Every structure is written in C-alpha cells, then in structure tokens.
Amino acid sequence: MSRHIDRRHVLSGALSLALAAMFVPSTRAAVRRKRLKAPYDRYIFVPNRNSADVAIIDTDSDSVIARVPVGRVPHQVAVSDTLGRLVASNTADNTVSVIDLARLAPVATLTLDNEPEHMELSPDGRLAAVGNIAAGTVSLVSLSESREIARVQGLHEPHNMTFSPDGRFVYVGNLGANFVSVIDVAAAQVVDEIAVPDDAPLAALPGTEEEHQGIINVTRTPDGRLGFAAYGDGGSLAVIDLRSRRVLKVLQLGELPWRAYATADGRHMIVPNNGDRTVSIIATVSPFEEVARLEGAADMTGVNTGWFETVAFVISRTEGRLVVLDLQRRQNAGSIDLGADSTPETGVTTPDGRRLYVALSGRDEVAVIDTKARWLIRRIGGVGREPWGTHMVGALNYCH
Amino acid sequence: MAGAFVASILLIGWPLEMGIAAGFACASHPGTLDTPSDRTASQTPAHVKRLWERLQRIQPGRPLPSPQAIWLRQCRRDMDCVARALLPHLDSRTRLVPVMHPDTDTIRLVKNRPSIVDVSRPASSVLRLSIVRFGRTAEREVLAALTAAPGTRVLELDLRGQQGGRLRNMLRLAGLFTGAVPDAVILAGARRTVLAVPARPQRLPWPVRLRVLVDRRTASSAEIFAALLRRHAGARILGERTFGKDWVARPVAVSHDWRLLVPAERVIVPGESLAGGLEPDAPLPAMEARTGR
C-alpha cells in the first residue's frame, strides 16, 4: 500500500516539476557569464544597439559565450589587451562603460559629453580618445585610472580619431568641416588643422538645410607617415604627410567618397564612393594614383580585406550583400548575398586574414565569411538585438 | 608704522597673489576638464589662424583686422563673437548661420531626407515631381517615381519655391537627364573652377519630354539645374523669372554650432543667363500659376 502511495507521490512531484519548468524563463537568452582568459585575440566583441550589451564570440567555436551589459545604445567597443579592459561608448547615456575582461565585470561608467560615438585606443592601450560628436569635443579617457583626464574643445562633429604611432597626436576627422584637426595629447589641445581643399561650394539661400558630409576619418599607413582623408562633399581624397602636416596630393575620386580603408599590408587604400556606387583603389606610394575604379553598390559603409590581401569585401547595408573585389586582378569578382533583410553594418577580418565577421543588424546575427573561398560559411545567432559592429584585438577595426 | 604698513600689504597681497598663482596653475595644467562656461574660451590659436587663412583665400584683397585684436582683446576667445565681429569686414552678403547637425542614422546613410515631396499626374501622360531639395537619394527617388508611372511621356520637375543646396548634389541629379557634360558650370572669382555634370550609373528608363516649373522663389542651384536641363536635355522652363542668385558661397566652420557662408564665385552656365534670374520659355497656365506652391 505504502509503495503505491509513494509512486503516486513521485509521479505527481515529477509532473509538477515538469509543469514548472515550462513556465520558468529559458536561460538561453540571458547573459552567459564566463571568465575570459587572456590573450583576448581569439574573441569577437559585438556591441548590440538595442539590447544594451556586448556579445563575446569565441572564434574557436564560433559561438556566443557571454553577453556583458553596458549602457544604452552602445555604438563602438575597443579592447585594451594590455590592461585586459573593454570600453564601450553608450551614445544614449553619454557615457562609456569600462569592463574588466577577466572577470567580465564593470569597472567604471564614466559620463562624458554629448553623444560619445567613436573612439580609438592609443598604441599602448592605456588611453582612449572618444569623440563626443554632438558636442564638438573629444574626451581623453585613461583606461588604467578609469577616468576622463581631459576634454578637448574646438572640433566640428568629430567622427573618427586616429592616433599617431607614438601616441603623441590624435588626428580627428571632422564630419562638419573640410579639415582634419590635430590634437596634441599631452597638451590636450587642438594644435593644427589640415584642410582638404577645396571647401565645397554651396548654392542655396541661407537657412536651407542640407545633408553634409565632411571628413569621416583619417586612415594612416602602418608606419604613420601618411594619412588619407576623404572629403565627401568635395568628392576628393587628400594624401597628407602627417609628420609635416602638409597635403601632398588631392585626388578626385567618384561622387561622395565615404572614407579610406587600408589593406593590412598598407599598400593600398580602398574608398567606396556612395554618390555613384563605385569603389576606388589608391596606391599608397607616390605618385599616389587611383589604380582602379570598380563597381560597388548602394550605401557602402565598410570594407574588409582578407586572404593575404588578395580580396576585399565591400559592405552594402541597403542591398544586404558584400561586393567582392579581386585585388590582384583589380576587378569585380561577384558578391555574397547575406539576405535582403540582413542589413550588414561593419565587419572585422581575423588577424590571420582567413575569416571575416560581419554584424547583421537586421537579423540579429553575425555572418562568418571564408575569405579564401569567398563565401558565407555560417551565421552566429544569439548575439543580441541589433548588432552594430565587430571588434577583434590585433585586427584592422573600424566603425561607421 | 612702516612695518605695520608693509605687514598689512603682505597680509592682503599674499592670499591674492596665491589665488592668482593657483588660477594660472589651473588654467595651464594639462588635462583639466573645461567647464561648460569655458567651452568657447578654450578655442586654440590654430583654429583662429586657419580661419583667417580661409577667409583671405576666399575673399583675397579684403583687409581683415588682426586675429589678436578680435579674438583675444575684443572677443576674449569666443569664436562665435569672432565670427560676428568679422562680418562687417567681409562681403555684405556673408551670413553667420547655425550648423544643422545630423543624427547617427543620417550620418551612416540609414536615414535620408526625401527630395521629392509630392508626385502628381496633371494629365494622363504627364508625371509631376515636386523636388524640394537635392538630397543624397534624389536620383533614386526620381527613378522610382518614373518607373512606377509607366506611360509617362512628359516629366515635369517642379522647382517652385526650391531654394537650392549643395552644388555637387544638384549636378549628380542633373546628370540623370543630361548625361555627362564636361564644362557645364563655371565658377568665376578669385579662382576659376570648371565643374562637370558627372556620368551617372543609371539613366532614365525611357525617353521623356522634360518641363521644369519655376517661380520667383526658385533660387541658386535650383536655377542652375533648370538652366542645365534646358541647355543640355532640351527641357522647357515654364513659370516666372527666377530669384537670380547667381553666386555660390563657401562654408567656413567657425565653431561646432556656427559657420560663415562667404560669397565666393559667380556662377556661369555657358549659353544661359542667370544674372537677374532665369527667364522661362513660357508662363504657366493661369490656373496653375494661381495654385502653385
């Protein structure tokens, strides 16, 4: 008798547990915390614009191993492997989050100026230059002390920052002007402006609003000698000697050039021209000529190279595809369809050049491209909502 | 007595002196966070020097007061004050205007302001597009509207009230109708620049007759656009004599929020006359003229 009762009790208990499990929220979507072990160069870091977190992908398994909460609308992330810290710019909160990677725990949340968007780490990984694009300032943030040590005034919609190889200067692409500002880091001041001639003419009555596109970025060669700054409204690309701060040459490219992307070997710059859907390839040795102009696509906001710099992938966020360029033959080589609804944002190529990881904000995924075979090999889900970019230590990182 | 006098001076002067020293120390210490009230005071001389260079390049021969006189003494390092102080020394048409800052989505091409605000069919084979600006997506919008209206034989581009915009944007849209034109527009001033209408990756899906509608408020690059289409695409211009702004300005960044629009060159469209306004080929029908924008 007692055995029969015990069995009913056991069965009802098991049934109760099963019913309870159905209504307990799945932990699959929750943050899967895990300590990260240095070195950190095998991870992809993905800011998620709509879920206020950063996903961490292990490239050994191509799976998400953690999602770390940050502030609202994280725009870009950067990783200092020397300090073991990740920094994320939270544009809706006007803050940056500093995260300890070993513990995956927050170290500090620093309030900066209006809309911190893009940033660049100094070569030693200890300082971050963060552009507060809506305020016209650049914050210099010490990652070792976790504090803002200076706020530089006098920029004009600072869009991207580039450190000199010795860390002494920061070159700022001003979206609201046709010149590059040079910041002396020690003095925390703008010490020069390098103009990209000519300032584009305006034929309108005062007060007429129009979209403008000044300088998105200064892309330097690996040795730091030269900087390439595309001036969108002027349809031109300036080649700048960064040591003398002199413009050596101005090239007329296609219409509405976006910015220059360097090949990993530094031999070429690749510039998408969004006004006429072409892509310019420029040699980085004098006489600095445009060596090819190839077919692009609509709304190109990213270029990644790979496989021993034999191939480039140009991201078209509107068309949901990558335009493939053969860099050896300097010709178009097809495209990779990521899906009409994919909305690719930016990508990063692994330092060995074998794989490209592209954030797909429209599908909440990261696409993995084999750069040798030139095709999509997998999609990584569970990344978060609206992944905005991908970042990897030791790679050529960028943000749009 | 003298000793007491000296002592009192020291007692008063010493804290004052220390306060001044501390102030200098704070002002010169690298890495001090500027307070919002110091925002404009911290503009560096590099920008001032370059601003002067830019203005003198655009308007050579116009004497400007020294940067020190204005920036340091008169305006105490406030760049917006500098711009206002310079205005009387520049061409009388120079304007100080606020900068329209784009948001994130506009910067990375996610959001675009529409160039066409109205599409109508005044007659069965006529498609009219009201173009209020020469935006980044103007070409795409025109092609989409035309493709969605098969059977269109006459395309009317309504520029009434359109006040212009970036010259290069306008030239790209013009190229959709004219094809590439090498010496389309000449900017004549301290420097002479020849602008081309660039070749476009796409063309109109089928031939159409073009009409451009203008009125006295059609200004600047909108007038130039109409002139180019008449000259190189066989368009008829209907309406009123246009505004007559036949010169371009060069934007000069003053601060994050303000810029100067400095008149630079006169605009010449070879074969057309823009001075005093573009003369149309014919007026609009009376009813159209009354109900125009």
Side-chain angles (χ1 to χ4, degrees):
Chain A
M1 185 74 159
S2 62
R3 209 182 313 143
H4 182 67
I5 291 170
D6 286 343
R7 196 180 297 134
R8 279 210 301 264
H9 281 163
V10 167
L11 282 174
S12 71
L15 183 61
S16 301
L17 277 173
L19 282 171
M22 281 171 62
F23 292 103
V24 169
S26 166
T27 56
R28 280 191 71 191
V31 172
R32 292 188 288 273
R33 289 185 176 269
K34 189 174 173 181
R35 296 175 73 87
L36 280 191
K37 283 188 182 174
Y40 303 111
D41 56 2
R42 75 168 198 266
Y43 302 110
I44 304 282
F45 299 88
V46 183
N48 291 304
R49 205 179 182 207
N50 215 348
S51 49
D53 58 10
V54 176
I56 303 175
I57 295 171
D58 188 331
T59 57
D60 288 347
S61 59
D62 274 348
S63 61
V64 177
I65 60 167
R67 281 169 60 182
V68 182
V70 291
R72 292 180 305 145
V73 192
H75 193 94
Q76 186 184 4
V77 296
V79 172
S80 168
D81 57 332
T82 50
L83 297 175
R85 294 203 165 159
L86 175 144
V87 57
S89 58
N90 311 306
T91 52
D93 294 340
N94 296 337
T95 62
V96 291
S97 300
V98 182
I99 308 289
D100 181 277
L101 284 176
R103 295 177 294 123
L104 286 181
V107 172
T109 301
L110 307 174
T111 300
L112 302 185
D113 212 335
N114 214 346
E115 285 186 38
E117 265 200 356
H118 296 117
M119 71 181 98
E120 178 86 352
L121 297 193
S122 59
D124 64 4
R126 295 183 175 277
L127 191 69
V130 185
N132 303 299
I133 193 165
T137 61
V138 169
S139 293
L140 298 177
V141 177
S142 166
L143 295 183
S144 51
E145 298 173 39
S146 295
R147 67 180 186 95
E148 182 184 15
I149 60 170
R151 191 173 296 172
V152 182
Q153 312 286 337
L155 292 310
H156 306 263
E157 293 169 5
H159 194 259
N160 266 315
M161 279 58 60
T162 304
F163 271 91
S164 59
D166 59 8
R168 289 180 57 206
F169 298 102
V170 176
Y171 305 102
V172 182
N174 291 299
L175 188 72
N178 71 320
F179 52 81
V180 171
S181 295
V182 184
I183 295 174
D184 181 310
V185 174
Q189 280 191 339
V190 173
V191 294
D192 207 352
E193 292 174 351
I194 309 169
V196 178
D198 291 317
D199 32 341
L202 188 64
L205 295 183
T208 307
E209 287 186 40
E210 83 289 346
E211 295 142 339
H212 60 260
Q213 185 184 310
I215 299 175
I216 293 278
N217 191 58
V218 182
T219 308
R220 64 168 173 81
T221 49
D223 60 7
R225 285 172 50 242
L226 302 173
F228 291 77
Y231 174 37
D233 288 333
S236 57
L237 177 79
V239 184
I240 303 169
D241 184 322
L242 294 176
R243 300 159 302 179
S244 62
R245 298 177 195 155
R246 232 169 21 98
V247 174
L248 300 177
K249 189 172 184 177
V250 178
L251 291 98
Q252 290 300 322
L253 301 182
E255 293 292 319
L256 214 61
W258 181 245
R259 54 155 282 182
Y261 298 86
T263 56
D265 56 14
R267 292 175 59 215
H268 294 95
M269 292 285 166
I270 303 172
V271 182
N273 304 303
N274 281 312
D276 58 12
R277 304 190 188 192
T278 61
V279 182
S280 299
I281 301 177
I282 296 100
T284 59
V285 293
S286 57
F288 311 118
E289 287 182 334
E290 183 181 11
V291 297
R293 191 175 296 184
L294 304 177
E295 189 182 317
D299 300 334
M300 301 171 283
T301 54
V303 178
N304 297 86
T305 56
W307 198 249
F308 303 100
E309 306 311 289
T310 59
V311 63
F313 302 91
V314 182
I315 295 174
S316 169
R317 63 185 317 283
T318 304
E319 297 180 22
R321 65 187 178 108
L322 306 178
V323 175
V324 182
L325 306 179
D326 186 315
L327 293 180
Q328 289 181 302
R329 296 194 180 94
R330 291 177 185 163
Q331 62 189 37
N332 284 83
S335 65
I336 299 173
D337 184 17
L338 300 172
D341 59 344
S342 58
T343 320
E345 300 291 350
T346 65
V348 68
T349 304
T350 53
D352 63 8
R354 293 172 186 270
R355 274 185 283 172
L356 166 63
Y357 290 79
V358 182
L360 306 181
S361 65
R363 296 180 64 137
D364 296 344
E365 293 173 344
V366 169
V368 187
I369 310 295
D370 182 314
T371 61
K372 182 185 179 188
R374 303 176 184 180
W375 65 45
L376 172 68
I377 57 173
R378 72 179 58 88
R379 295 174 186 268
I380 303 172
V383 173
R385 292 203 305 274
E386 210 175 337
W388 198 238
T390 48
H391 179 93
M392 200 171 187
V393 172
L396 286 178
N397 294 290
Y398 64 88
C399 186
H400 57 349
Chain B
M1 188 69 174
F5 177 74
V6 169
S8 65
I9 293 293
L10 286 174
L11 279 172
I12 295 168
W14 180 74
L16 182 63
E17 191 179 345
M18 288 303 293
I20 291 171
F24 275 123
C26 287
S28 63
H29 187 271
T32 304
L33 268 181
D34 288 326
T35 62
S37 61
D38 294 333
R39 189 179 296 273
T40 51
S42 59
Q43 196 77 37
T44 59
H47 182 61
V48 175
K49 177 185 158 197
R50 296 297 188 196
L51 175 66
W52 251 251
E53 286 173 3
R54 283 179 202 119
L55 291 173
Q56 281 164 339
R57 193 169 59 240
I58 296 171
Q59 296 193 348
R62 268 189 186 263
L64 295 176
S66 73
Q68 283 72 27
I70 292 189
W71 174 66
L72 197 57
R73 291 194 287 272
Q74 178 178 341
C75 290
R76 299 176 188 272
R77 306 178 187 198
D78 182 333
M79 281 308 297
D80 300 342
C81 166
V82 167
R84 285 190 291 274
L86 282 171
L87 278 174
H89 303 279
L90 300 169
D91 185 299
S92 60
R93 296 167 295 172
T94 305
R95 295 287 179 270
L96 181 64
V97 297
V99 176
M100 309 293 180
H101 298 302
D103 61 18
T104 295
D105 282 348
T106 301
I107 294 169
R108 51 202 47 75
L109 315 174
V110 175
K111 196 162 66 177
N112 295 285
R113 303 183 71 210
S115 297
I116 297 174
V117 295
D118 189 49
V119 179
S120 59
R121 303 210 74 146
S124 60
S125 63
V126 178
L127 181 70
R128 180 181 294 176
L129 308 179
S130 296
I131 301 176
V132 293
R133 64 179 60 85
F134 299 113
R136 289 190 293 225
T137 57
E139 272 179 273
R140 278 187 242 180
E141 294 175 55
V142 168
L143 288 169
L146 188 54
T147 307
T152 297
R153 294 286 172 259
V154 177
L155 181 62
E156 288 186 344
L157 305 175
D158 190 351
L159 301 181
R160 289 175 292 176
Q162 219 254 48
Q163 300 190 327
R166 294 218 176 254
L167 213 53
R168 291 187 77 104
N169 287 10
M170 178 276 292
L171 289 172
R172 282 200 292 276
L173 182 62
L176 187 61
F177 304 101
T178 65
V181 181
D183 302 322
V185 176
I186 298 169
L187 303 181
R191 44 188 169 174
R192 183 184 166 90
T193 309
V194 179
L195 298 177
V197 174
R200 307 312 300 137
Q202 290 176 282
R203 296 302 304 272
L204 298 178
W206 58 81
V208 292
R209 287 206 324 272
L210 286 172
R211 292 185 202 148
V212 181
L213 310 186
V214 298
D215 63 10
R216 68 178 79 93
R217 298 165 300 152
T218 305
S220 214
S221 56
E223 302 176 85
I224 302 167
F225 180 82
L228 287 171
L229 262 58
R230 178 160 67 184
R231 190 79 195 147
H232 301 287
R236 287 199 81 211
I237 299 178
L238 305 177
E240 300 174 311
R241 181 181 282 272
T242 60
F243 187 90
K245 181 175 177 290
D246 63 344
W247 48 272
V248 296
R250 300 276 177 177
V252 178
V254 170
S255 65
H256 184 248
D257 296 319
W258 293 92
R259 63 182 182 178
L260 285 165
L261 296 183
V262 185
E265 295 103 335
R266 202 163 69 81
V267 180
I268 300 167
V269 176
E272 293 281 344
S273 175
L274 293 172
L278 197 64
E279 187 69 46
D281 296 304
L284 273 173
M287 194 173 82
E288 278 274 26
R290 276 199 302 273
T291 59
R293 281 185 294 148

